[in-house]
Amino acid sequence: MTIVLAFLLLVLALLVSIQMAAAAPTLPTITVDTVSPQPAEPGQNLLIGITLFNRLNSAGDFSVLLDAQSPFVLKSSEKDLEQVHLCAGCRIKNTYFLTIEPVALSGTYPVYLMLSSGGAEVEEQIDVKIQGKPSIIFTADTEGLNEI
């Protein structure tokens, strides 16, 4: 029950933390389709899938950059969206491949997507939960317990 509740809270936090590009009417909309796995583990690979949708009435040139700071390392992406021309009503999907540093501590960390065109710019925040598996081993010395 607590795992389901934690998962629902995480999904809700992810939805709330993604600021929609509607505040910038001269820019397309970015939708985060996938963050997998969630939660992720230190040393593990991470996929972030997005869709860029040009809801504007005209074509345009746009730039999408993923800012992955520690504990994330951007390995590659399916497409280079640093300079993309997108027709009106068109969409393009992209998947980013990242690695989580093996020394990452458990917690929630942001990854940022920057979308820009001309002078307009918007930043989308994607929260990724990292949960490490403890590697602590406890031993008990039972010698002398009968004498207590």
Side-chain angles (χ1 to χ4, degrees):
M1 179 69 177
T2 59
I3 293 173
V4 173
L5 182 60
F7 178 76
L8 291 175
L9 288 174
L10 180 63
V11 169
L12 180 61
L14 178 65
L15 292 174
V16 170
S17 69
I18 299 173
Q19 302 166 352
M20 299 309 294
T26 59
L27 294 173
T29 301
I30 291 181
T31 305
V32 178
D33 303 320
T34 307
V35 178
S36 178
Q38 189 71 282
E41 295 179 16
Q44 197 172 40
N45 290 328
L46 179 73
L47 299 176
I48 297 178
I50 66 158
T51 300
L52 179 65
F53 174 60
N54 187 1
R55 67 196 186 318
L56 306 174
N57 293 328
S58 61
D61 295 315
F62 307 102
S63 175
V64 179
L65 298 172
L66 184 118
D67 180 19
Q69 299 178 8
S70 183
F72 304 103
V73 176
L74 177 62
K75 296 190 318 185
S76 65
S77 66
E78 284 183 343
K79 299 177 179 86
D80 180 10
L81 299 183
E82 194 168 328
Q83 293 181 348
V84 62
H85 182 80
L86 204 55
C87 64
C90 294
R91 67 186 73 226
I92 188 169
K93 290 185 171 278
N94 195 21
T95 301
Y96 296 95
F97 303 94
L98 300 97
T99 297
I100 300 167
E101 296 172 348
V103 295
L105 300 176
S106 294
T108 302
Y109 297 90
V111 175
Y112 296 99
L113 282 170
M114 272 74 76
L115 170 63
S116 63
S117 178
E121 186 175 308
V122 68
E123 182 180 272
E124 305 280 338
Q125 179 176 323
I126 304 166
D127 290 327
V128 178
K129 183 176 181 180
I130 298 176
Q131 185 173 3
K133 291 185 178 175
S135 59
I136 299 173
I137 300 173
F138 293 98
T139 61
D141 186 8
T142 58
E143 189 176 323
L145 286 178
N146 293 337
E147 298 172 9
I148 299 179

